[in-house]
Amino acid sequence: MKKRRLLYLISIALLLAVYYLILGINMYRAGYHNHESLFYIEKARIIFEGSGDRLKIIGLTSPILPFYGVLPFIGISYTFAPIIASAIGTAILFLIMGVSIIKSSDDNYLTMLLLVLFLFHPGIIYTACSGKGIYFSLIFFFLFFYNMFRFYYSNTTFHISVASMLLVVLVFCDYRFIWLTLFFIPLIISIALQSLNLSEQQSIFRLSMSFNNPSLRRKLANKTFAMYVIIFILPIICIFCYKVLNQSHANDFNYFADSPYATWRVLVDKLESSITPVMDNYKVPEISFLTSVRVLMYCPLILLGIYLFRSNTQHLLTIMIPFGLLEFFKIKYDNSFLQMQYYLIFLILAFLTIMLKGHIISRKIIYKVLIFALVIVQIYTGYYFLKNSFVASEKNFILTLERNNPSEEGYEESKDVAGFINNLPRNSQVLMDDANAYPIVSYISDMHSVTLPYQPSFLSAIENPDKYVDYVLVATVQNPIGGYTQLNHKYKLLMARKNDFSMRIVYESDNWILYQLGAGRFAPKPL
């Protein structure tokens, strides 16, 4: 029976992947783009088509696992590789969650509800069709917490060790999840208390007894430390080694997190922090200490999960950890808005809690009706939160899905600039800085026609552009991210002081100006 259910589940996952792929390609053709997928496309083109030392691109592009997830599909299409990766990845997430349901319950009701979510929830559709790497974070977030709960039921350290390895992968999907190590401290103390052979059942009394007894206090400290080491020593060591790798190749321990050459998040956070939220956003403001309220509105199903585990301190603390994590994010990263993936983890966690209590739910019709109603509510709230999102790429996704006119001027401008560069005379060389021009580079037809920062000649070309290139792409004063590159309006003023060559504007847009040099390695060519 379970083998037949598994075959059905695999077939549904394959159909879901096709459904997401068709929808994602149609969304792209309708005009939807985002910075993350264009960043992956540009870095992949450098790896496979560029010239020069590309080792730093291969090893230090971050987040590294979502980037690597795109690479296997580059042979099909650079343009659609991120969409293919996210469509297949989201279908795999459905399969993993479905298999977990099969293992825990013989009732198909939860599987059907899971399918409804993956078919119609706007957040899941966004994950699958946007070309972003959100699916990676959701997969390993689910597996990490699934193994934590498995540890509670089996009380074997095998599941803790597996959870530790999964946390490593999760951190390399999104570095911000490293802060989970802070919020697991009270949970680990609770686990250590539970392992002590005490007559008291209430955690607060067990803790009081342990602190007042030197022997028990020593045992509690040892067990807490040992548990913390088992779970978190591997992620911390891996991050340390990765930072050493960054230091050795880029002379910066935090290059992967802070450099616009390594991650798309730097510029996107800058762009989002300069956007003024519209009035609709203030109906449910995203401010510290109200983030949890937004989560409960987005995912009311998590309330049922909390209710089902209300009598178990460890389980309840585990469910509450992501709430503390998001509140911490809102304080630490106060200049940027929380992206949809941080709300979606509660959708995954809520379904995990429902799945673990499947044996109770299958016997009570009231729970089934309530879960169905909450799933319908979540589909609506998922739509509402996307439509009123603070993040432009999320809001534009819904607008494109509804066939409205999303705000895509920046991407159209990038296409126009790249189109002009593609039509320059043959053998022309263009000096560009992909710190902020990676959307343009992703549309360039010939990667050998551009000089980029990863190439050894880039610094020399900046100092003496007339000897290396024919054209220079410069960010205008109005460009909101022009400060992230040396090739801005100040560079033009600096070069204008040199008398041995001239710079003539051949193309100009709101954010970019392309200059032709009057002298260089090649004689000036007419346009």
Side-chain angles (χ1 to χ4, degrees), residues 131-154:
K132 291 192 169 188
I134 301 173
Y135 65 95
F136 252 115
S137 297
L138 297 184
I139 287 174
F140 290 100
F141 181 87
F142 173 81
L143 291 174
F144 172 70
F145 276 88
Y146 177 71
N147 277 276
M148 289 300 298
F149 279 105
R150 288 285 300 275
F151 166 73
Y152 301 148
Y153 288 114
S154 65

Side-chain angles (χ1 to χ4, degrees), residues 303-311 353-354 357 360-361 367:
L303 288 172
L304 181 59
I306 293 172
Y307 173 78
L308 292 172
F309 286 104
R310 66 192 182 281
S311 60
T353 58
I354 301 302
K357 292 293 183 178
I360 297 176
I361 293 167
Y367 282 139

Side-chain angles (χ1 to χ4, degrees), residues 129-413:
C129 304
S130 63
K132 291 192 169 188
I134 301 173
Y135 65 95
F136 252 115
S137 297
L138 297 184
I139 287 174
F140 290 100
F141 181 87
F142 173 81
L143 291 174
F144 172 70
F145 276 88
Y146 177 71
N147 277 276
M148 289 300 298
F149 279 105
R150 288 285 300 275
F151 166 73
Y152 301 148
Y153 288 114
S154 65
N155 201 28
T156 58
T157 54
F158 168 78
H159 294 296
I160 284 287
S161 302
V162 172
S164 177
M165 291 185 284
L166 291 169
L167 182 58
V168 172
V169 182
L170 179 60
V171 169
F172 281 101
C173 296
D174 186 345
Y175 178 66
R176 291 182 178 182
F177 281 110
I178 191 65
W179 297 110
L180 279 172
T181 55
L182 292 179
F183 293 91
F184 265 89
I185 293 176
L187 175 62
I188 290 173
I189 294 175
S190 175
I191 294 172
L193 276 174
Q194 198 70 27
S195 66
L196 297 176
N197 295 321
L198 300 177
S199 58
E200 290 288 348
Q201 295 300 317
Q202 294 295 326
S203 297
I204 187 67
F205 295 119
R206 296 170 72 92
L207 185 62
S208 177
M209 289 179 62
S210 301
F211 280 160
N212 292 328
N213 187 302
S215 177
L216 290 176
R217 186 166 61 242
R218 192 181 310 110
K219 285 183 179 180
L220 178 63
N222 291 340
K223 285 178 177 288
T224 302
F225 179 75
M227 192 69 65
Y228 202 83
V229 167
I230 292 173
I231 299 177
F232 297 119
I233 194 65
L234 184 59
I236 292 173
I237 289 176
C238 288
I239 287 298
F240 174 76
C241 293
Y242 191 60
K243 287 198 170 193
V244 170
L245 183 68
N246 278 259
Q247 175 65 25
S248 62
H249 286 83
N251 295 319
D252 184 1
F253 283 109
N254 292 318
Y255 174 83
F256 70 100
D258 297 340
S259 172
Y261 296 111
T263 179
W264 54 272
R265 194 183 290 275
V266 174
L267 293 189
V268 171
D269 287 349
K270 168 66 177 177
L271 286 171
E272 290 171 1
S273 64
S274 64
I275 296 174
T276 302
V278 297
M279 188 58 63
D280 284 343
N281 296 133
Y282 288 108
K283 293 178 181 177
V284 191
E286 186 181 287
I287 59 177
S288 181
F289 304 113
L290 284 181
T291 305
S292 296
V293 177
R294 285 178 59 88
V295 167
L296 295 177
M297 293 179 64
Y298 181 82
C299 183
L301 190 61
I302 195 70
L303 288 172
L304 181 59
I306 293 172
Y307 173 78
L308 292 172
F309 286 104
R310 66 192 182 281
S311 60
N312 192 301
T313 305
Q314 292 178 12
H315 295 178
L316 198 58
L317 283 173
T318 305
I319 297 172
M320 299 305 294
I321 283 172
F323 285 94
L325 184 67
L326 255 64
E327 294 290 356
F328 175 78
F329 283 170
K330 200 57 205 167
I331 296 171
K332 180 170 177 59
Y333 307 106
D334 57 335
N335 290 326
S336 62
F337 301 115
L338 290 175
Q339 296 178 341
M340 187 54 57
Q341 70 187 73
Y342 299 117
Y343 291 99
L344 285 171
I345 62 175
F346 291 92
L347 187 66
I348 302 300
L349 182 60
F351 219 91
L352 173 60
T353 58
I354 301 302
M355 178 195 74
L356 292 171
K357 292 293 183 178
H359 59 286
I360 297 176
I361 293 167
S362 61
R363 296 197 302 265
K364 295 187 178 181
I365 189 67
I366 184 65
Y367 282 139
K368 291 186 176 182
V369 174
L370 181 59
I371 293 171
F372 178 77
L374 290 175
V375 166
I376 300 302
V377 170
Q378 286 185 170
I379 291 175
Y380 171 75
T381 56
Y383 167 80
Y384 178 85
F385 271 67
L386 266 182
K387 190 171 183 177
N388 296 283
S389 174
F390 296 92
V391 181
S393 62
E394 296 172 1
K395 190 170 186 176
N396 287 339
F397 183 84
I398 285 294
L399 293 175
T400 307
L401 195 63
E402 294 177 337
R403 292 297 187 267
N404 291 330
N405 294 318
S407 177
E408 298 289 338
E409 294 88 353
Y411 300 110
E412 291 301 322
E413 182 185 31

Side-chain angles (χ1 to χ4, degrees), residues 26-126:
N26 286 332
M27 291 284 289
Y28 179 86
R29 289 174 175 168
Y32 177 75
H33 308 277
N34 61 74
H35 284 276
E36 182 176 351
S37 59
L38 292 177
F39 184 83
Y40 294 152
I41 291 170
E42 189 255 353
K43 297 304 178 186
R45 294 198 64 197
I46 289 176
I47 291 174
F48 291 105
E49 297 182 6
S51 58
D53 185 10
R54 287 156 285 179
L55 184 62
K56 189 159 68 173
I57 304 293
I58 296 172
L60 302 185
T61 298
S62 177
I64 192 167
L65 292 181
F67 174 56
Y68 285 172
V70 172
L71 298 183
F73 306 105
I74 290 299
I76 300 174
S77 169
Y78 280 105
T79 301
F80 297 126
I83 298 174
I84 297 172
S86 62
I88 294 176
T90 308
I92 291 174
L93 173 62
F94 168 81
L95 183 60
I96 292 171
M97 295 181 70
V99 169
S100 301
I101 293 174
I102 290 175
K103 288 181 178 180
S104 61
S105 174
D106 293 329
D107 192 352
N108 290 323
Y109 183 72
L110 291 180
T111 307
M112 296 303 296
L113 287 181
L114 182 67
L115 179 59
V116 170
L117 272 179
F118 274 75
L119 279 173
F120 301 113
H121 193 281
I124 299 293
I125 295 174
Y126 172 72

Side-chain angles (χ1 to χ4, degrees), residues 4-16:
R4 183 181 299 176
R5 293 173 70 191
L6 180 59
L7 288 175
Y8 285 145
L9 206 61
I10 293 173
S11 301
I12 293 171
L14 291 174
L15 292 175
L16 272 178

Side-chain angles (χ1 to χ4, degrees), residues 487-504:
L487 300 179
N488 51 34
H489 66 283
K490 295 180 180 179
Y491 176 80
K492 167 61 174 62
L493 296 176
L494 181 63
M495 290 297 104
R497 298 174 186 171
K498 294 190 175 183
N499 299 320
D500 55 343
F501 67 88
S502 61
M503 300 178 70
R504 180 171 66 90

